[in-house]
Structures are given as structure tokens and as C-alpha cells.
């Protein structure tokens, strides 16, 4: 051992060093958990607006969904014999988004059931975080929308007996579709209207959504695709209906469009991988939204549009395999 | 930066590329540890260990026997195959034995051990020669391309940037593949490393002389020395050294992996090296700045490649340094020379943190391709548990080859070689950018490496 260097001798004696494959450094500022907390932060303007509009009902709905989502994730994950992963915050995000997509008046058991279905069928059945094909919150919402049609339909948003002003009116899109009454763009933009908890304020959705895009937690290609496509199709509808620009803005600011575009469609797990794929996905969501809004019996179509495009995502991924650098 | 703009370097960009390439990442450079450390010369060690394969290609054959005495610079291993490089001893002494060593990349190799004896050529003489400003540029036209290639071959020069490809193969005059441009790579985009930076700052004239010689060997019409814009002092030194020569300095954007061949060709010349092809397919030859200095010495001073600069850097070393050192010295001696490891040293890496190999055996010798020893602390090393892929696409946005790393990794995990090939797994050059950005801490490169092996095995069947 005489010609070992001093350090070599020290290292030979001590256990301090470790060996691992490259790269040996990582970007620790961006983790799965940070992405999820970013979404929670991005949603705060919408939460604030919903509490302002629907008071106690909003608080209650959010609490029910978040708690139910956390609990069902814990239960389902341990049933599969895996380590509980609540600290990645993804269940909390699902719960919050689900709550914001429900009407304020939906009874507690609706939120609860939606949460159980969201986590159980929307996520854990596929193998947990990262493996699901559909957006879990939208799976939960779709379930309760079908199971409790009357509690979730257009009527759910109108309760003349409600103590809260907003709930005495129809949602803007229902009013437009059903009776041709159009809400003022001012009210739509700031959110002084009826609707599901998170959809009333276009402004709040924009603030939170732009925050997410700047943080690169959400890929901007998706909301841009959605908004561009909706603007195009709504613009065409607007042209055929008198071209006053009102209808166009109504479609852009009304309903869950911006909430969906920035917070739901951007779910990384159920959207495509490449920037080009993401844009196609967004445009597809936008197209389905407008088809449903214009031609179906439903006034709103964000949820179905996103679920439909989730199903197309694997195909989009295959279409958009990028060409490697130097590929002729 | 500001100074550069005043100097008008950005304004005078005279190359067709944009100075950058699509995608890539910006890891913290951490060059501050050793960038300010002037190259120090280490004393002649008691012994050197010279592995017989220090380059890409075939190993060289020993031409000495145990107990034989050798002089400084004498050839001890001969590269007989075309893609091979000869080996020369940096010290005078007695051949002890031909044993076996394990290099940080995990390869076991035969190696010649030489015990230092008798009169030595002090390392600082060599270094002074390197840093001198007189490289008699006027004599360069006297060398014919064949002669330059022959002298490079005789000196056993390989790429000193890390890949260690035998240089004579690159500069061999070839009628079929005409070379238009020679890019001299001074990007040093790996975080932490500063050996090329110090060489550019302290020995710019040797680099320019080597570039002119190599350019002459390949009959290049233009020669660019490419430097990232985070190294203003190196740019300045080379601007001065290239004055009144045909060599131009190309300032490119600081970004990882800017120094990789295809990315650099794109950034400077706006050419796409074909998939599976080489830069020579688009008429470009590339070589590292250190290699060019070695070429200058080989041709003008007729000296073999026996020494190189190694950066010893990172939070885990007491005094980070750049050391002019004989090849074959043990890594441990270099670490000792820098005051040893700190208390919180966690990982020792041969090379930089993005593509280097971690190792723990400090008797491992420095080879021609050893550009640095990076010693990271626990706080600096990548850690954290792996979670599920959230399909965020950040790895896609980072990949400089425009691949879909998450798909490649999944294909490897499920041994799906068809999928791996559909997603062009072989275009990955293992730069590590994807792993660096992944929020789920997935070891993508490691999986992709496995996937490549699976594809190769499946092709053989
Ligand atoms: S960066 Fe990581 S988590 Fe994101 S898609 Fe790639 S592998 Fe998956
Ligand atoms: S390691 Fe391969 S797949 Fe990953 S970024 Fe680099 S080239 Fe792309």
C-alpha cells in the first residue's frame, strides 16, 4: 500500500463516497411536487372569486372534494399495496379542480362521490399518478353529471330561493342558448354571474393561468390552441349572426372555457408530450367545445371536449413523433 | 458580456449559424471554483500508469518490456490499427510491469507501469513552451498536409475534449470527403470544468498554430475557434492571437450541450449533420482546443502527447486548481495536490457532472481524455426519490437531438426494441439533459443506455 496517495488511503478507509451514473447534477428547482403546488397557487384567484360569489357554499364544496380526494387516494393506494403518495399534492389538485367544476348548490354527497370516482376510476385503476389516460377530475365530474342529472343539469345553477344573488339566475351560456339572453361582457369577464364555482370569472382564470404558463408548469401551447380554435369558430358563428363581436366574447369569457383551457386541459398526464402535439390537442379541445356548444343540446362542452381529446392523446403522440436533428 | 458588446464581437458575427441550436438546458456553470486558478505545474510523480487504450478504437501494443529503461517522451505502446493511437511515457524510468487497471468508465485494461528514475524533463519547461507566444506561424506553409498528419500520428494525439478520438484519422487528407470548415471547439459547456478555458487564456498562440496546421492538413477553407459567450477573457485572448491570421473566433451562446459536435456545427455553420452520420459528411472537421495545442507541439516542436491540463474542481475539493500534469499520474495525487477532499465530499467524477463517470478508486490514472476531476458535495449531487413520469414533456423540450426521452426510457423499461427504434433511440448521444430537467427524477439516460444495448442485441439476432 506504500504508493497509495494520502487521499486514496483516506478514501479506502472511509465510507463517505458514492458512485452513481451521470448526470450527477439535477434541476432541483422543478419537481413533480412543485408543479402541483404551482397549480394550487394558480387556482387561488378562482377560489377567491368563488368564495366571493357563492360564500359558504363554495367553502363547503371545496372542503368536501379536497378531503374526499385525499382520503380516497390514500385508501385506494394502500389497497394496491403501494406507498401512500399524498405528499406529491396531485390528489389535492384533483380535488380542488373537481370542486371548482361543480355547481355551488350540488349537495355534499355529489362532491364526495365524484371524488371517489375521480381517484378510483380516473386515476388509481390505471396505476396511479402518470398512468391515467383521462383527466381524473373530469372523470369524476362526468360520472356525477350522468348519475345525478337533475342535480347537475342547467337547473342546478338556478335556485330562486337561494340567499345568494348569483344563484337566482341561469348561467350565461344557458341563458344565451335557452332564451337568447346575453349577459354583459363586463359581468362575464369579472365573473359576476352564475356558473360552476370556478368558471364565473374569466379574469381570475387568466391571472392564474398566465402564472402557470410563466412558471412553465402548464404548457402554453394547450391554452393557446384552445383559445385560438374557439375564437376562430365562435368568430365564424358571430359573423353569421350579425358580427357584433358580442357572441365571440361571450364564448371566450363564458362558461368554463378559460378555466378548462388553463387548468384542466393542461394536465400533463393526459395531454400529449410534444409542443406540436400539445397545440393539436388544444385545438381539438376548442373544436369539440364549439361543436357541442353550437350544435348539441348542452350549453357547455368543456368537460366532454377534454375527455374526448384525452382519448385521442395516444394517437396524437404517435402522429407527432418529432424528427430527430439531422433526419432528412 | 457588456465588455464584449463594446468590443463589437457580437456585432461582427461572421458565421452563417445563429450561434445556438434548438432545445438544450442551462445548468449552473459553477466555473467559478477553478476559472480563476492559473495553470499550475505538478512535479514529476514517482510512477505513472499508462493504460494501453486511452482513445476510441483499437488498443495499442506494448513495445517495451519489464525492467527496460525508457527516456522521457519515448514510445511505449504503438497504435498499429488505423483507428488507434500510440502511447509515450511522460517520465524517464524503468518499466515495472504490464498490469491491469480499471478506468472510471468501468473498462479493465492492460497498462504499463513506469517507475520514475534518472534525469527528468521538468513539466514546467513543457508548459512554458506551450504558453510561449512564438509559434513561428510563418513556417506553417512549409509542412505538407501528409507530413502534418504523419507527425500527429507519431505523437499519439487524440481528442482532448473527452471523447478521445485519434486525431490523425480526422485530419488524414481524403479525396472523397472534402472538408470546407474546421471548427476548433473551445465551448467547454460541461459545468465546472475549466481546463480548456485556462488553456485558451494562457496559451492562445499554441491553439492558433495548431488550428492553422490542422486546417492545412484537411485543406479547410475556413477555420473557426468556437467559444461560449460566458468566457470573455478567453475570447479576448484568442481575438488577439488570431489577429492577422485566417482563423476566426466564433462566439456562441452559453448553453448545454453547445460543445457537442452536431450542435456546434448547427450553431456556427447552420448545417445539419445527417442522422447516424459524421460532421465530415457535411464537410466539417471538429477538434478541441487542447488537441490543437498538442498538434502545434507535435508538428513544430516534434514532441509527443505526454501531458495535459486537468481541472480539479467542485465543492468537495479544498483548493480547486487547473493542473498541467503528466498523463498516467494517479487521480489521488492530483487531489492531494489540491489540498485533499473536504469533509462533505460525496462523489468524485472523472470529467464533468453531466457526462462524467463517478469512481472511487483514486489510484486510477489520468488518461489523455481526462479533462477534469469534479468533486461534488452532498448538496451538489442530484438526489431525491424517483416518482412516476407525469408526461410533462420537459425532457422533450430539453433534448438537443429532438427526441422523446420519456418514450425511449419506457421502451427500454419494457424491453420494447421496436418502439425504441421507432423513436430513434440510437440518435441519443447521452448528454443527460433530459435527466437533468425531469421533475420526477427519472434516470432517463441510464434507461436509454440499456435500451440501446437491447436494440443492438436484437439486431444481432
Ligand atoms: S421530464 Fe420526466 S416526468 Fe416529464 S415527461 Fe420526461 S420523463 Fe416524464
Ligand atoms: S441524453 Fe439522449 S435523449 Fe436525453 S437529452 Fe441527451 S440526446 Fe436527448
Amino acid at each position: 500500500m506504500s504508493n497509495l496517495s494520502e487521499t486514496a488511503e483516506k478514501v479506502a478507509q472511509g465510507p463517505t463516497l458514492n458512485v452513481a451514473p451521470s448526470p450527477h447534477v439535477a434541476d432541483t428547482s422543478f419537481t413533480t411536487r412543485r408543479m402541483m403546488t404551482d397549480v394550487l397557487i394558480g387556482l387561488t384567484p378562482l377560489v377567491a372569486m368563488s368564495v366571493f360569489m357563492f360564500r359558504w357554499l363554495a367553502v363547503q364544496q371545496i372542503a368536501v372534494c379536497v378531503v374526499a380526494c385525499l382520503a380516497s387516494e390514500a385508501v385506494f393506494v394502500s389497497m394496491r399495496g403501494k406507498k401512500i403518495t399524498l405528499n406529491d399534492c396531485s390528489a389535492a389538485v384533483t380535488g380542488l379542480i373537481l370542486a371548482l367544476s361543480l355547481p355551488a348548490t350540488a349537495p355534499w354527497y355529489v362532491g364526495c362521490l365524484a371524488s371517489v370516482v375521480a381517484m378510483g376510476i380516473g386515476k388509481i385503476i390505471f396505476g396511479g399518478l402518470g398512468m391515467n389516460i383521462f383527466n381524473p377530475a373530469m372523470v369524476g365530474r362526468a360520472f356525477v353529471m350522468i348519475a345525478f342529472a337533475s342535480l347537475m343539469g342547467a337547473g342546478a345553477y338556478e335556485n330562486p330561493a337561494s340567499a345568494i344573488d348569483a344563484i337566482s339566475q341561469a348561467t350565461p351560456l344557458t341563458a344565451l342558448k335557452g332564451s337568447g339572453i346575453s349577459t354583459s361582457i363586463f359581468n362575464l369577464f369579472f365573473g359576476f354571474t352564475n356558473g360552476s364555482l370556478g368558471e364565473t370569472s374569466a379574469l381570475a382564470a387568466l391571472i392564474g393561468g398566465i402564472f402557470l404558463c410563466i412558471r412553465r408548469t402548464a404548457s402554453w401551447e394547450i391554452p393557446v390552441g384552445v383559445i385560438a380554435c374557439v375564437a376562430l369558430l365562435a368568430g365564424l358563428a358571430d359573423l353569421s349572426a350579425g358580427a357584433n363581436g358580442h357572441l365571440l366574447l361571450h364564448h371566450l369569457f363564458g362558461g368554463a372555457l378559460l378555466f378548462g383551457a388553463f387548468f384542466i386541459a393542461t394536465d400533463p398526464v393526459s395531454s400529449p408530450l410534444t409542443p406540436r402535439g400539445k397545440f393539436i390537442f388544444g385545438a381539438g379541445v376548442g373544436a369539440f367545445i364549439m361543436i357541442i356548444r353550437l350544435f348539441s343540446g348542452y350549453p357547455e362542452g368543456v368537460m366532454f371536449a377534454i375527455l374526448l381529446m384525452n382519448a385521442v392523446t395516444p394517437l396524437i403522440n404517435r402522429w407527432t413523433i418529432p424528427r430527430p436533428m439531422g433526419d432528412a | 458580456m457588456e465588455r464584449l458588446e463594446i468590443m463589437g464581437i457580437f456585432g461582427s458575427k461572421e458565421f452563417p449559424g445563429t450561434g445556438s441550436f434548438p432545445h438544450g438546458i442551462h445548468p449552473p456553470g459553477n466555473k467559478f471554483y477553478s476559472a480563476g486558478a492559473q495553470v499550475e505545474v505538478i512535479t514529476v510523480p514517482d510512477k505513472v500508469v499508462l493504460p494501453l487504450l486511452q482513445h476510441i478504437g483499437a488498443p495499442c501494443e506494448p513495445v517495451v518490456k519489464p525492467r527496460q529503461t525508457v527516456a522521457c517522451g519515448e514510445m511505449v505502446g504503438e497504435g498499429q490499427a488505423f483507428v488507434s493511437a500510440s502511447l509515450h511515457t511522460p517520465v524517464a524510468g524503468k518499466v515495472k510491469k504490464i498490469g491491469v487497471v480499471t478506468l472510471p468508465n468501468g473498462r479493465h485494461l492492460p497498462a504499463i507501469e513506469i517507475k520514475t528514475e534518472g534525469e527528468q524533463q521538468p513539466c514546467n519547461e513543457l508548459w512554458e513552451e506551450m504558453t510561449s507566444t512564438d509559434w513561428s506561424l510563418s513556417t506553417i506553409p512549409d509542412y505538407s498536409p501528409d507530413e502534418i498528419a504523419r507527425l500527429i500520428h507519431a505523437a499519439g494525439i487524440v481528442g482532448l475534449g473527452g471523447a478521445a478520438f485519434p486525431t490523425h484519422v480526422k485530419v488524414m487528407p481524403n479525396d472523397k470527403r472534402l472538408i470546407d470548415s474546421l471548427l476548433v471547439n473551445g465551448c467547454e459547456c460541461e459545468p465546472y470544468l475549466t481546463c480548456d478555458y485556462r488553456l485558451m487564456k494562457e496559451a492562445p498562440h499554441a491553439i492558433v498554430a495548431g488550428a492553422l496546421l490542422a486546417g492545412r492538413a484537411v485543406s479547410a477553407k475556413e477555420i473557426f475557434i468556437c467559444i461560449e459567450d460566458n468566457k470573455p477573457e478567453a475570447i479576448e485572448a484568442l481575438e488577439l492571437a488570431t489577429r492577422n491570421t485566417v482563423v476566426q473566433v466564433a462566439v456562441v451562446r452559453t448553453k448545454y450541450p453547445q460543445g457537442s459536435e452536431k450542435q456546434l456545427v448547427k450553431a456556427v455553420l447552420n448545417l445539419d449533420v445527417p442522422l447516424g452520420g459524421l460532421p465530415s459528411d457535411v464537410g466539417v472537421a471538429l477538434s478541441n482546443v487542447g488537441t490543437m495545442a498538442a498538434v502545434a507541439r507535435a508538428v513544430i516542436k516534434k514532441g509527443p502527447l505526454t501531458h495535459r491540463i486537468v481541472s480539479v474542481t467542485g465543492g468537495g475539493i479544498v483548493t480547486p486548481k487547473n493542473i498541467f500534469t503528466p498523463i498516467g499520474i494517479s487521480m489521488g495525487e492530483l487531489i492531494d495536490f489540491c489540498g485533499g477532499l473536504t469533509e462533505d465530499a460525496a462523489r468524485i467524477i472523472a470529467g464533468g457532472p453531466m457526462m462524467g463517470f463517478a469512481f472511487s478508486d483514486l489510484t486510477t490514472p489520468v488518461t489523455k481524455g481526462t479533462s477534469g476531476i469534479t468533486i461534488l458535495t452532498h448538496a451538489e449531487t442530484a438526489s431525491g426519490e424517483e416518482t412516476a413520469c407525469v408526461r410533462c414533456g420537459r425532457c422533450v423540450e430539453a433534448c438537443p437531438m429532438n427526441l422523446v426521452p420519456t418514450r425511449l426510457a419506457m421502451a427500454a423499461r419494457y424491453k420494447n426494441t421496436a418502439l425504441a427504434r421507432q423513436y430513434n433511440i440510437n440518435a441519443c448521444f447521452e448528454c443527460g439533459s433530459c435527466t437533468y430537467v425531469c421533475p420526477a427524477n427519472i434516470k432517463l439516460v441510464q434507461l436509454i443506455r440499456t435500451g440501446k444495448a437491447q436494440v443492438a442485441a436484437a439486431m444481432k439476432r
Side-chain angles (χ1 to χ4, degrees), chain B residues 234-246:
Chain B
I235 296 168
E236 210 179 310
L238 277 157
E239 283 284 338
L240 281 172
T242 52
R243 207 172 270 174
N244 304 323
T245 72
V246 296

Side-chain angles (χ1 to χ4, degrees), chain B residues 196-217:
Chain B
D196 287 350
Y197 169 70
R198 288 312 307 187
L199 184 79
M200 290 189 280
K201 202 164 135 49
E202 297 184 43
H205 295 275
I207 296 170
V208 173
L212 287 167
L213 286 162
R216 185 164 164 75

Side-chain angles (χ1 to χ4, degrees), chain B residues 343-402:
Chain B
E343 282 297 309
D344 53 350
R347 197 174 294 172
I348 308 182
I349 301 156
M354 292 302 295
M355 292 181 82
F357 297 94
F359 65 99
S360 59
D361 175 7
L362 293 181
T363 59
T364 308
V366 166
T367 62
K368 294 178 183 177
T370 309
S371 45
I373 307 174
T374 309
I375 299 140
L376 301 181
T377 60
H378 287 283
E380 286 172 302
T381 46
S383 58
E385 226 177 301
E386 177 176 325
T387 55
C389 167
V390 286
R391 300 190 226 165
C392 61
R394 281 177 65 89
C395 52
V396 181
E397 278 163 54
C399 179
M401 288 306 293
N402 208 17

Side-chain angles (χ1 to χ4, degrees), chain B residues 399-401 403 405 408 428-434 445 448:
Chain B
C399 179
M401 288 306 293
L403 305 174
L408 298 176
C428 166
F429 66 104
E430 302 177 14
C431 68
S433 305
C434 49
V445 201
I448 295 172

